[in-house]
Amino acid sequence: MHNFLAAVVVGVSLTCATGVQAGAPDVEHATGLLPAKIGAQQQRAHQLLDKAIAHIRQNGPQAVNDFTHDPAFIDRDLYVYSLSLAGQMLSSGGWSAGLIGQNVLNETDDAGQPFFRQMLALAKQNQSGSIEYYWFNPNEGQDEIKITYFDVVDGIVIAVGFFPGYPTEEQAKQMLEQAMSEYFADPVAALRKFRNKQGEFRRQDQYVFVLDKAQRKVVLNPVFAENNNISVDAITDVQGQHFLREILEHASPNTIQSIDYWWLSSETRQVEHRRAFYQQMGGQVIAVGTTVFPESPP
């Protein structure tokens, strides 16, 4: 799309060729307990959804009414709601109780996206799944990503949503688009922003770093500065995968691609599953990486 000389990658934590992290980060992350925290959040959401599904299967479609009144289907900040496949809100134990009886296909999230319509389209196609959207989190007093898990039972969509409290893949892709735009407009200014520990290109485990495509080396890694000017051919993940080299070799100007890799976190002392999203811009690649959490708890 545009002509540059380097590859910008967000959130990929570099490891040395032996598969061990090359050094400690120069920025504090708030991710030390995230895997355990996310597992607990997901488990609560899935358990509540499973409980609601079993209730409908045992008692029939009319049992959705219990989601509105029975506290058994409320778990602290989590609650169950149901929709018809045509888009009518049937029941809810939370904020959407005020929409019961209404068609919600045109309701939008805080980013203007018709998330109910999108969820129902996925439900008709796959019968179950999840969707991400922006919603006001009253506990934090700000808009955040919310994830809703859903399942179709007896022709009715049963759903439970929660605030994960961690950066999601959707946010990683948005950071990718922003990084591409900033770097195209002014590469020097963009690099300063990428270095800013408090800036918009630092979000817990997500951050921007730069690779030189022609010289095949790391130009900027704001978290692991000791990897700057290191050849991508000397860097692997814990399984020995040359994921940075693969990013450079497979990037395309026409589409966003992704690659998975594994690295040892200095925060959690655990090997973590990571995913980088990337796209070529002329002689460069822009990419964003994020931690991958299980869709369902073990």
Side-chain angles (χ1 to χ4, degrees):
M1 180 164 50
H2 306 298
N3 292 319
F4 294 123
L5 297 176
V8 179
V9 183
V10 180
V12 181
S13 295
L14 299 183
T15 58
C16 67
T18 60
V20 180
Q21 277 185 250
D26 65 354
V27 60
E28 293 183 2
H29 292 285
T31 57
L33 298 177
L34 272 179
K37 178 181 177 182
I38 300 313
Q41 286 281 75
Q42 289 184 325
Q43 186 172 32
R44 287 177 57 216
H46 278 287
Q47 286 177 341
L48 188 58
L49 181 60
D50 289 344
K51 183 177 182 180
I53 290 171
H55 186 67
I56 299 303
R57 287 176 175 166
Q58 181 176 355
N59 299 288
Q62 73 276 5
V64 298
N65 299 322
D66 296 332
F67 301 155
T68 302
H69 307 290
D70 191 340
F73 297 101
I74 298 176
D75 178 4
R76 289 170 284 175
D77 56 326
L78 306 184
Y79 58 88
V80 181
Y81 66 91
S82 65
L83 299 164
S84 73
L85 287 171
Q88 185 180 36
M89 182 67 66
L90 302 177
S91 61
S92 173
W95 72 269
S96 49
L99 298 175
I100 293 175
Q102 298 182 31
N103 189 291
V104 297
L105 290 179
N106 294 324
E107 292 286 332
T108 60
D109 69 357
D110 291 337
Q113 298 300 311
F115 66 104
F116 282 129
R117 184 186 297 273
Q118 294 168 348
M119 182 174 68
L120 289 172
L122 290 172
K124 292 175 183 178
Q125 180 178 356
N126 301 321
Q127 299 297 298
S128 65
S130 65
I131 186 170
E132 295 183 6
Y133 53 97
Y134 278 96
W135 204 251
F136 182 76
N137 184 345
N139 293 326
E140 300 297 331
Q142 62 184 9
D143 291 343
E144 293 184 5
I145 285 285
K146 190 171 187 178
I147 298 177
T148 287
Y149 296 123
F150 61 86
D151 215 303
V152 179
V153 184
D154 289 346
I156 295 173
V157 179
I158 312 299
V160 174
F162 71 101
F163 292 100
Y166 67 91
T168 67
E169 291 187 11
E170 184 62 30
Q171 288 175 301
K173 293 176 184 177
Q174 291 172 358
M175 188 183 287
L176 167 59
E177 294 175 355
Q178 185 180 359
M180 292 173 66
S181 177
E182 293 272 356
Y183 198 72
F184 172 65
D186 189 337
V188 175
L191 289 176
R192 287 199 299 267
K193 292 182 179 180
F194 300 160
R195 292 188 183 97
N196 185 355
K197 298 178 182 180
Q198 308 302 324
E200 64 266 41
F201 295 101
R202 297 288 185 92
R203 186 187 295 122
Q204 292 184 3
D205 65 337
Q206 296 175 352
Y207 59 89
V208 179
F209 70 88
V210 181
L211 308 178
D212 186 291
K213 187 173 177 64
Q215 298 186 39
R216 301 174 63 82
K217 69 177 183 179
V218 179
V219 173
L220 170 66
N221 186 321
V223 175
F224 293 91
E226 64 277 10
N227 287 315
N228 294 340
N229 296 316
I230 299 297
S231 169
V232 298
D233 297 307
I235 298 169
T236 67
D237 71 355
V238 300
Q239 292 183 314
Q241 177 187 202
H242 288 88
F243 61 99
L244 297 181
R245 183 169 68 192
E246 292 186 34
I247 287 175
L248 293 182
E249 293 176 351
H250 295 104
S252 166
N254 301 316
T255 183
I256 294 175
Q257 300 182 72
S258 66
I259 186 171
D260 285 19
Y261 57 99
W262 297 84
W263 72 290
L264 179 64
S265 169
S266 61
E267 297 294 326
T268 65
R269 300 294 182 180
Q270 295 179 9
V271 173
E272 295 179 350
H273 184 187
R274 301 278 292 172
R275 179 169 297 148
F277 299 95
Y278 60 93
Q279 186 171 0
Q280 182 175 343
M281 300 179 71
Q284 298 189 347
V285 177
I286 310 293
V288 174
T290 190
T291 300
V292 179
F293 296 101
E295 184 65 24
S296 302

